[in-house]
Amino acid sequence: MSQVRAIVFDTFGTVVDWRGSLIADFTQWAQAKNISGDWTALVDGWRAAYRPSMDAVRKNPARGFLILDELQRQSIEPLTASLGIKGLDAKDFDYLTYAWRRLDPWPDCVPGLTRLKTKFIIGPLSNGNVGLLVDLAKYGGLPWDVILSAELFGHYKPDGEVYRGAAKLLSLAPEQMMLVAAHNYDLAAAQNEGLKTCFVPRVTEYGPHQNSDFKAEGKWDYVVKDLVDLADQLGC
Amino acid sequence: MSQVRAIVFDTFGTVVDWRGSLIADFTQWAQAKNISGDWTALVDGWRAAYRPSMDAVRKNPARGFLILDELQRQSIEPLTASLGIKGLDAKDFDYLTYAWRRLDPWPDCVPGLTRLKTKFIIGPLSNGNVGLLVDLAKYGGLPWDVILSAELFGHYKPDGEVYRGAAKLLSLAPEQMMLVAAHNYDLAAAQNEGLKTCFVPRVTEYGPHQNSDFKAEGKWDYVVKDLVDLADQLGC
């Protein structure tokens, strides 16, 4: 590990609990506004639309790059209609979309990252846009050194441009950077570009709908219990 | 000020003392290596080549965007030759170039930024490249939330693309962002793009060669003594 200088982190699912946070946020907000709806179904349905919406960008470069905020805003409106949630206006949809900027970190993240930061450059490497990731860090107290986003490269993960682009922006060779993720597909793509890899399991990320990523499925450089364990293993 | 959400900072001169740091670094390094040279003249000559090298990029877009590290590396070699400094190899020139990643902050910066960070998104808005700015922050303990660099926009300040691009990356309107700088030309360009502005004097930046920027020369929104004074004025 002596040559690794930067550790970057997938964010949604790996660092923050998007599902639990969104369900709690929407439920509380809807109670205060007296709007009824199945908010758990909305969150799960929204997440199901997440990857296809990015894949549409990846497969249609002529369409141009759209940031995640825009994709989420486009997905949410038809989804509420299909779930029979009524009475939402444009401002409400903006509120729901920006809930992705108010997600709680898993409990090990702030202590683990704070220790890792003493020896390494740390940052997200996420499909979230820059503004979203900055707000998320302020909200959760994530002590990033740099914000690395798909938006900076005009490509979504798992496109190779994102992993290579991140290393290049930091003036590093790919093997001087390690990706930490709870998703095997993301690590496979990073490894394919020459990055070091670390798997951290987040087995409650999808709640009862979790059907993959219970364990490491590739030859990753590190497999850790959580980010505090990673700090231990790296002597931070 | 209630609408300002992000405060961004010119870096070389405004946040870090490039001249004092480089002269000290080179003098100590040369003594250890037993290389003789006028290191103060080298630093001043290098800084004189800095803006023309960026202006050449700005005026020749067909040449493509070159990051500051590359421009500095190109400038240093002929400059040592003209000053009669002998015996330097490629590794030495790399060492000298990377000295721009080891610059000390002015004494008010870390305390001032730490307080400003509690209420605002803070980051550099610099012509330095991303990797340089990240190393600089780690070196000096600068508590940035985000690294905003000319490199991300493919334009050097004072091109408008840099100021507008920074606001857009943070999902902000230009007037929701304020630039802090020790240089009136930089503030004028930012104001022209709709950003709020704050002048902080750094009257020893160029040592005995300082011939401008002793005081505010425009209608800036704030004029402060230093970054601690700015934190005071903004109630942080």
Side-chain angles (χ1 to χ4, degrees):
Chain A
M1 278 297 292
S2 63
Q3 85 274 36
V4 168
R5 289 207 51 226
I7 306 180
V8 294
F9 299 78
D10 171 63
T11 300
F12 301 124
T14 300
V15 174
V16 295
D17 171 16
W18 55 268
R19 187 175 187 273
S21 305
L22 292 176
I23 292 170
D25 186 312
F26 295 173
T27 302
Q28 194 172 7
W29 172 81
Q31 261 171 349
K33 295 200 61 142
N34 203 23
I35 299 171
S36 66
D38 185 341
W39 305 104
T40 300
L42 179 69
V43 169
D44 288 334
W46 209 5
R47 190 61 173 77
Y50 172 88
R51 176 136 304 281
S53 72
M54 290 188 295
D55 284 346
V57 172
R58 295 176 62 225
K59 284 166 193 163
N60 300 284
R63 176 184 168 187
F65 186 81
L66 294 177
I67 63 173
L68 188 64
D69 277 345
E70 295 177 276
L71 298 179
Q72 302 277 52
R73 182 66 178 76
Q74 288 176 3
S75 303
I76 186 73
E77 213 162 324
L79 194 58
T80 53
S82 77
L83 288 169
I85 300 173
K86 293 195 171 66
L88 301 180
D89 61 20
K91 222 172 151 183
D92 294 326
F93 288 120
D94 289 345
Y95 174 87
L96 297 173
T97 300
Y98 264 46
W100 286 88
R101 297 178 176 218
R102 302 184 300 268
L103 306 174
D104 296 314
W106 300 111
D108 55 290
C109 288
V110 173
L113 291 174
T114 302
R115 286 172 57 191
L116 290 164
K117 185 183 168 96
T118 61
K119 285 201 182 177
F120 299 94
I121 294 165
I122 61 168
L125 185 63
S126 169
N127 283 334
N129 43 294
V130 173
L132 181 162
L133 293 169
V134 171
D135 277 358
L136 203 54
K138 297 293 266 188
Y139 180 82
L142 305 169
W144 302 131
D145 291 309
V146 61
I147 301 291
L148 298 169
S149 159
E151 181 182 14
L152 300 179
F153 313 109
H155 282 270
Y156 281 113
K157 295 192 291 182
D159 283 355
E161 285 84 350
V162 179
Y163 310 95
R164 290 196 304 275
K168 187 164 178 250
L169 262 191
L170 295 183
S171 322
L172 298 176
E175 64 271 20
Q176 293 179 293
M177 177 173 275
M178 180 162 79
L179 177 71
V180 178
H183 311 122
N184 287 283
Y185 86 93
D186 196 1
L187 296 172
Q191 189 175 66
N192 195 46
E193 299 299 333
L195 275 71
K196 300 290 183 189
T197 51
C198 171
F199 178 80
V200 55
R202 299 296 189 189
V203 299
T204 63
E205 178 187 351
Y206 287 85
H209 308 295
Q210 184 121 357
N211 58 21
S212 65
D213 292 320
F214 291 105
K215 59 182 171 71
E217 287 161 15
K219 289 185 191 266
W220 315 135
D221 298 287
Y222 285 80
V223 176
V224 298
K225 214 178 93 213
D226 58 26
L227 301 194
V228 171
D229 182 25
L230 180 60
D232 285 342
Q233 292 198 34
L234 297 179
C236 295
Chain B
M1 277 297 291
S2 64
Q3 85 274 35
V4 168
R5 289 205 52 226
I7 306 180
V8 294
F9 299 79
D10 170 64
T11 300
F12 302 123
T14 300
V15 174
V16 296
D17 171 17
W18 55 268
R19 187 174 187 273
S21 305
L22 292 176
I23 293 171
D25 187 312
F26 295 173
T27 303
Q28 193 173 8
W29 172 80
Q31 260 170 350
K33 294 200 62 143
N34 203 22
I35 299 171
S36 66
D38 184 342
W39 304 105
T40 299
L42 179 70
V43 169
D44 289 333
W46 209 5
R47 190 61 172 78
Y50 172 88
R51 177 137 303 280
S53 73
M54 290 189 294
D55 285 345
V57 173
R58 295 176 62 226
K59 285 167 191 161
N60 300 285
R63 177 184 167 187
F65 186 81
L66 295 178
I67 64 172
L68 188 64
D69 276 347
E70 295 176 276
L71 299 180
Q72 302 278 52
R73 182 64 178 75
Q74 288 176 4
S75 304
I76 186 73
E77 213 162 325
L79 193 59
T80 52
S82 76
L83 289 168
I85 300 173
K86 293 195 170 65
L88 301 180
D89 61 20
K91 222 173 152 181
D92 294 325
F93 289 120
D94 289 345
Y95 174 87
L96 296 174
T97 300
Y98 264 46
W100 287 89
R101 299 178 175 218
R102 302 184 300 269
L103 306 175
D104 295 314
W106 300 111
D108 55 288
C109 289
V110 173
L113 291 174
T114 302
R115 286 172 57 191
L116 290 165
K117 186 182 168 95
T118 61
K119 285 202 182 176
F120 299 94
I121 294 165
I122 60 169
L125 185 63
S126 169
N127 283 333
N129 42 293
V130 173
L132 182 162
L133 292 169
V134 172
D135 277 358
L136 203 53
K138 297 293 266 189
Y139 180 82
L142 304 170
W144 303 130
D145 291 309
V146 61
I147 301 292
L148 298 169
S149 158
E151 180 182 14
L152 299 179
F153 312 108
H155 282 271
Y156 280 113
K157 293 193 293 182
D159 284 356
E161 284 85 350
V162 179
Y163 309 96
R164 290 196 304 275
K168 188 165 177 247
L169 261 191
L170 295 184
S171 323
L172 298 177
E175 64 271 21
Q176 293 179 294
M177 176 172 278
M178 180 162 78
L179 176 71
V180 178
H183 311 121
N184 287 283
Y185 87 92
D186 196 1
L187 296 173
Q191 189 175 65
N192 195 46
E193 299 299 333
L195 276 70
K196 300 290 182 190
T197 51
C198 171
F199 178 79
V200 55
R202 299 296 189 189
V203 300
T204 62
E205 178 186 352
Y206 287 85
H209 308 295
Q210 185 119 357
N211 57 20
S212 66
D213 291 321
F214 290 105
K215 59 183 170 72
E217 288 160 15
K219 289 185 190 267
W220 315 134
D221 298 287
Y222 286 79
V223 176
V224 298
K225 213 179 94 218
D226 58 25
L227 301 193
V228 170
D229 182 24
L230 180 61
D232 285 342
Q233 292 198 35
L234 297 180
C236 295

